[in-house]
């Protein structure tokens, strides 16, 4: 519901309470609000989410980074790119994922690194390869050798579907 944007932003940007007994509950509310903003996918939330990438609470940083993935659009790439230099791996790799989901290949070397595999799931990396189009096709093909059967099958189906829809009468590759 688009009407939930303003209340979610209010919850996500609520200042940290001074009472230490309330900080844990506050952090959980902020994280849930950020998760919901990401699910809402409204790019208008970007200006409210970006400052939270530097929050002192790791859970809030991670939730903000995940929200960034949900709200990423091609026109927001320039605002997201500085997060690729972030010290927190959650923020850095999710920023790269957000760029890929927006069609920008700048962070692709980060997404498909061994270090990123500790932060990003295989399905997130597979989705990045798909959204990057032709620049992610080599990475998509490497998923055919994944140790995870579901990823291998998903990659095969995606490649077959791509070949079917982009078929021009001349075979481009043999999947055997």
């Amino acid at each position: 519901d688009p009407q939930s944007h303003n209340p979610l932003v209010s919850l996500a940007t609520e200042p940290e309470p001074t009472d230490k007994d309330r900080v844990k509950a506050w952090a959980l509310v902020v994280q849930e609000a950020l998760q919901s903003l990401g699910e809402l996918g409204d790019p208008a939330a970007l200006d409210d989410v970006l400052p939270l990438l530097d929050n002192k609470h790791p859970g809030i940083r991670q939730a903000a980074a995940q929200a960034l993935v949900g709200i990423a659009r091609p026109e927001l790439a320039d605002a997201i790119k500085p997060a690729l230099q972030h010290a927190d791996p959650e923020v850095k790799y999710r920023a790269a994922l957000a760029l890929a989901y927006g069609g920008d290949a700048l962070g692709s070397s980060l997404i498909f690194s061994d270090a990123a595999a500790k932060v990003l799931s295989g399905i997130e990396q597979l989705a990045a390869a798909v959204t990057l189009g032709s620049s992610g096709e080599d990475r998509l093909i490497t998923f055919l050798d994944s140790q995870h059967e579901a990823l291998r099958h998903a990659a095969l189906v995606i490649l077959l579907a791509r070949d079917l829809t982009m078929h021009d009468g001349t075979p481009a590759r043999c999947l055997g």
Side-chain angles (χ1 to χ4, degrees), residues 19 33 44 56 62 92 94 117 124 128 143 146 149 159 173:
D19 181 2
K56 69 179 182 181
Q62 292 170 6
K92 177 164 85 173
R94 294 211 179 275
E124 288 173 316
F143 279 100
S146 173
E149 184 177 3
L159 285 166
R173 78 181 103 212

Side-chain angles (χ1 to χ4, degrees), residues 18-97:
T18 55
D19 181 2
K20 292 187 189 262
D21 293 335
R22 295 184 54 223
V23 170
K24 187 175 180 179
W26 162 82
L28 290 174
V29 169
V30 170
Q31 290 171 41
E32 289 292 325
L34 286 166
Q35 179 183 353
S36 296
L37 281 170
E39 290 172 3
L40 187 60
D42 186 353
L46 181 70
D47 291 337
D48 298 303
V49 170
L50 285 176
L52 296 173
L53 295 175
D54 294 318
N55 192 282
K56 69 179 182 181
H57 299 281
I60 292 176
R61 282 195 311 271
Q62 292 170 6
Q66 187 61 43
L68 194 63
V69 173
I71 63 177
R73 303 286 184 279
E75 63 272 13
L76 304 178
D78 288 339
I80 296 170
K81 287 176 183 176
L84 294 175
Q85 304 299 319
H86 205 281
D88 185 337
E90 280 281 340
V91 174
K92 177 164 85 173
Y93 296 119
R94 294 211 179 275
L97 188 64

